[in-house]
Amino acid sequence: MVAAEAGVSRATVSRVVNGHASVAPEAVAAVHAAVARLNYVPNRVARSLASRRTDVIALIVPESTSTVFADPFFAPVVRGVARALAETDFTLNLLVASETRPEKTRRYLLGGNVDGALVVSHHSGDHSYLGLGDALPIVFGGRPLNPELESRHYVDVDNRHAAQSATEYLLGSGRRRVATIAGPQDMPAGIDRLAGWRDAVEAVGGDVSLAEHGAFTQQSGAEAVIRLLDRHPASGAGSASTGSASTGSAGAGFDALFAANDQMAAGAIQALRNRGLSSPADVAVVGFDDDAFAATLDPPLTTVRQPATELGVSMTELLVRLISGEEAPHRTIIPTELVRRGTA
């Protein structure tokens, strides 16, 4: 009908609607006028049948809904994905994928509903995206832990090096006993940031027993630092006011803390305050992420900036290249930055 109205061929209408440049300007104008008069809208289902493409990308988050909407890490990642898709024909489906029924997610992914998938915040025990083989392009945010997925494409930061550098910064500022609150050890970020802290501490002959684990939440950070304080009572030497850290004997506490994310750092600072200790005077604190709340803490949090929006953009651009059949690097590393504020 559009072709008849515009006086051109159906092939010409197809080229104009799909934005091809090799169409005469007068034909483009005639087609656009006919489209407007007929209120024509391309049928996505019909186009998908013809092209075998859905123009849909899935963003899979294998976490509970409460975690996804409470953790400030996810919003900038989604913002980055949306930004990268803005100038494309792709739309985004968000799947908060419960691991209680991983086969449900697999059926959806293999059912011709999407052209590719992005996976963030994955755990070693997640199965939603296993067994897909080469049926669907997938890009991970963070290196995959499962051996079956080692050849998959991923975008990440160098968590180990960044954590090591943050710990070295604390040691270089005069602190002597740097503790850590590590993240979950079934996640690549949790594993690598703990390893980076240990690298720095072992290099100076420090105490690697000054470690507790949290769940990347404020509550878990508070509980972890209380366990550290109970095992290693802080000396409260007031290092910030004297310009040098306490050199207390082994087991006499810790004067610095590296937390594997900002939420755990925030919980730790509050728990320290509840015990009559302040940051940075008694315990210097460095977090990781530079999330939306880091600069609003009291005092503002010194932290490693992980560019979450850029992570979302890079993952999406990589996936679009894979969907288009282009070659793409399997490993993309985005740089981090230590943001110095008031806690260290």
Side-chain angles (χ1 to χ4, degrees), residues 177-192:
R177 293 177 57 77
V178 183
T180 189
I181 303 174
Q185 295 301 286
D186 65 344
M187 301 181 70
I191 294 170
D192 292 346

Side-chain angles (χ1 to χ4, degrees), residues 232-290:
H232 306 274
S235 59
S239 60
S241 60
T242 63
S244 63
S246 169
T247 58
S249 60
F254 55 95
D255 54 12
L257 175 71
F258 167 65
N261 82 334
D262 291 346
Q263 294 299 293
M264 294 194 299
I269 290 171
Q270 184 58 54
L272 290 168
R273 186 175 293 128
N274 293 342
R275 288 288 184 97
L277 299 166
S278 65
S279 179
D282 299 306
V283 180
V285 178
V286 173
F288 203 112
D289 283 341
D290 194 25

Side-chain angles (χ1 to χ4, degrees), residues 119-132:
V119 182
V120 296
S121 192
H122 50 93
H123 303 252
S124 59
D126 294 341
H127 302 290
S128 296
Y129 38 79
L130 295 180
L132 299 184

Side-chain angles (χ1 to χ4, degrees), residues 6-37:
V8 298
S9 69
R10 290 170 60 185
T12 298
V13 173
S14 178
R15 288 196 296 272
V16 172
V17 169
N18 287 288
H20 290 285
S22 59
V23 182
E26 57 273 18
V28 173
V31 170
H32 284 163
V35 164
R37 287 193 297 270

Side-chain angles (χ1 to χ4, degrees), residues 11-342:
T12 298
V13 173
S14 178
R15 288 196 296 272
V16 172
V17 169
N18 287 288
H20 290 285
S22 59
V23 182
E26 57 273 18
V28 173
V31 170
H32 284 163
V35 164
R37 287 193 297 270
L38 295 171
N39 293 317
Y40 168 70
V41 177
N43 185 291
R44 180 175 293 274
V45 174
R47 295 177 71 178
S48 296
L49 289 172
S51 66
R52 297 186 180 180
R53 288 268 295 268
T54 66
D55 286 340
V56 176
I57 284 175
L59 173 60
I60 307 170
V61 187
E63 299 282 2
S64 67
T65 53
S66 58
T67 297
V68 172
F69 292 106
D71 192 326
F73 169 75
F74 294 108
V77 173
V78 175
R79 184 163 57 245
V81 174
R83 179 185 300 174
L85 293 179
E87 298 302 319
T88 74
D89 289 331
F90 289 103
T91 56
L92 177 65
N93 280 359
L94 175 62
L95 301 180
V96 181
S98 170
E99 280 301 310
T100 58
R101 294 186 60 194
E103 73 283 354
K104 178 180 178 181
T105 302
R106 283 201 301 271
R107 283 200 307 269
Y108 177 80
L109 294 175
L110 292 175
N113 299 292
V114 300
D115 295 326
L118 306 166
V119 182
V120 296
S121 192
H122 50 93
H123 303 252
S124 59
D126 294 341
H127 302 290
S128 296
Y129 38 79
L130 295 180
L132 299 184
D134 296 323
L136 191 73
I138 298 179
V139 174
F140 288 85
R143 65 180 181 87
L145 290 176
N146 194 298
E148 181 181 331
L149 302 169
E150 287 178 352
S151 63
R152 291 292 182 178
H153 297 78
Y154 71 91
V155 180
D156 204 354
V157 299
D158 191 337
N159 285 289
R160 184 167 186 162
H161 177 71
Q164 179 181 353
S165 298
T167 306
E168 289 172 346
Y169 168 75
L170 289 167
L171 291 165
S173 68
R175 308 287 169 158
R176 294 293 177 264
R177 293 177 57 77
V178 183
T180 189
I181 303 174
Q185 295 301 286
D186 65 344
M187 301 181 70
I191 294 170
D192 292 346
R193 293 173 195 176
L194 175 60
W197 167 83
R198 186 179 290 115
D199 290 342
V201 171
E202 287 180 339
V204 297
D207 185 356
V208 293
S209 72
L210 289 167
E212 285 288 344
H213 293 80
F216 284 152
T217 64
Q218 285 196 31
Q219 181 64 31
S220 70
E223 293 169 352
V225 86
I226 288 170
R227 293 194 297 271
L228 280 168
L229 291 171
D230 288 345
R231 289 197 294 114
H232 306 274
S235 59
S239 60
S241 60
T242 63
S244 63
S246 169
T247 58
S249 60
F254 55 95
D255 54 12
L257 175 71
F258 167 65
N261 82 334
D262 291 346
Q263 294 299 293
M264 294 194 299
I269 290 171
Q270 184 58 54
L272 290 168
R273 186 175 293 128
N274 293 342
R275 288 288 184 97
L277 299 166
S278 65
S279 179
D282 299 306
V283 180
V285 178
V286 173
F288 203 112
D289 283 341
D290 194 25
D291 68 26
F293 302 101
T296 66
L297 294 178
D298 182 22
L301 182 64
T302 297
T303 185
V304 177
R305 175 175 293 157
Q306 174 176 225
T309 300
E310 184 179 342
L311 179 74
V313 170
S314 296
M315 290 174 63
T316 307
E317 290 177 344
L318 182 59
L319 182 61
V320 169
R321 289 175 62 184
L322 293 174
I323 292 171
S324 300
E326 299 179 26
E327 292 292 327
H330 281 267
R331 177 177 178 267
T332 302
I333 301 298
I334 301 174
T336 58
E337 173 191 3
L338 182 66
V339 181
R340 298 172 177 85
R341 295 193 180 105

